[in-house]
Amino acid sequence: DHIAQRQFQRGFNEINFTCGVLNCIFVGYVFGMYPQHFWLVYLIQGSFLIPTRAQAFTKHTPFNIAFYLTDFVCVTNITFLISIILAIFNCIMQNPWVPVEYYKFFSLAAAGISCGALIAACMILPVVCLLFHDINTMADLFIHIFPPMVMFTFRWNVTEIHDAWPGVFKLDHLHSANFFPLHRGTIAGNTIRFYFAWFILYTIWMSAVLVVGNPFPKKNQRGLLPY
């Protein structure tokens, strides 16, 4: 009974489990039947799962583990979601205030990250698993597997996306993109630039934490870092 009660408190109940199963079926159905709309599924679910994940991290005891939101995968997903939102606003306003070059740069970087590091993580990391009732585990799965799925539709369903959402996305350059050499404008070059931009900022941030101390203090916390 004690174990069952603990599992129930963690969300293991019929409603959560059923919703998790139905969501997986829904995701697979949209990806296979309506790939031109799959980016919308990513946007909606990401707008729910990532803030929910952030809330769980900040409420974690005995340590606040909000630092995990600054890891490379989370930052990549947040940037991806913001880019999609900006693309929608650009289309609505009919006066792009975000340069097209930004979308070209990040779309190539997203292609490299999604089809490289995230695909590899899905294959080898034990935290990337399917646990229908646990929202944190599903969020881990989401941030690793959804970007490759979205980039797959952006690469192979360009015509359908342009027809269904005219003016929102400009994806033609993905067909003619080169992987090498390592300069700006290639998949590998943009991916490396994006990674090192994150790495430099992340190193500065973590160095500041070591020097100044944890900006997220919790009661009975004895260390600077939560990990």
Side-chain angles (χ1 to χ4, degrees):
D1 291 340
H2 177 67
I3 295 176
Q5 182 64 25
R6 289 181 58 188
Q7 293 291 341
F8 183 82
Q9 292 175 352
R10 293 176 180 176
F12 186 49
N13 57 62
E14 294 85 351
I15 296 176
N16 288 350
F17 187 85
T18 302
C19 290
V21 173
L22 293 177
N23 182 58
C24 290
I25 295 173
F26 170 74
V27 168
Y29 178 76
V30 175
F31 181 73
M33 297 299 296
Y34 303 101
Q36 67 271 28
H37 305 309
F38 188 75
W39 66 269
L40 193 58
V41 177
Y42 174 70
L43 177 61
I44 294 172
Q45 298 207 8
S47 299
F48 169 73
L49 286 173
I50 292 179
T52 303
R53 179 184 175 90
Q55 185 180 32
F57 281 174
T58 56
K59 292 183 177 180
H60 187 273
T61 56
F63 299 111
N64 186 317
I65 57 174
F67 288 124
Y68 284 124
L69 294 172
T70 63
D71 73 20
F72 183 66
V73 178
C74 280
V75 170
T76 299
N77 275 268
I78 293 170
T79 307
F80 203 169
L81 291 169
I82 292 174
S83 299
I84 292 176
I85 294 172
L86 291 177
I88 296 172
F89 276 113
N90 273 3
C91 180
I92 294 174
M93 296 173 63
Q94 296 295 323
N95 183 22
W97 50 281
V98 178
V100 176
E101 289 72 19
Y102 165 81
Y103 296 108
K104 290 184 177 180
F105 173 87
F106 184 69
S107 61
L108 294 176
I113 297 167
S114 299
C115 301
L118 296 186
I119 286 290
C122 290
M123 293 187 291
I124 63 177
L125 291 183
V127 296
V128 184
C129 58
L130 197 60
L131 197 60
F132 298 115
H133 69 277
D134 191 280
I135 194 167
N136 289 322
T137 303
M138 295 301 287
D140 275 327
L141 179 65
F142 172 87
I143 63 176
H144 286 89
I145 202 164
F146 261 68
M149 295 173 73
V150 173
M151 290 309 303
F152 181 91
T153 63
F154 280 1
R155 174 61 180 84
W156 299 107
N157 302 101
V158 176
T159 302
E160 294 90 335
I161 293 174
H162 284 172
D163 292 342
W165 304 94
V168 178
F169 301 106
K170 298 173 177 62
L171 305 171
D172 293 328
H173 63 282
L174 290 176
H175 286 271
S176 57
N178 296 318
F179 191 84
F180 288 113
L182 299 179
H183 60 64
R184 184 183 175 92
T186 65
I187 293 176
N190 287 13
T191 300
I192 290 175
R193 282 166 173 76
F194 181 84
Y195 175 80
F196 277 104
W198 165 83
F199 182 76
I200 291 171
L201 294 174
Y202 183 78
T203 302
I204 294 173
W205 158 249
M206 295 308 293
S207 300
V209 169
L210 288 172
V211 173
V212 178
N214 190 346
F216 305 112
K218 297 290 286 186
K219 185 170 61 176
N220 299 327
Q221 186 169 341
R222 293 186 175 84
L224 291 177
L225 299 178
Y227 49 91

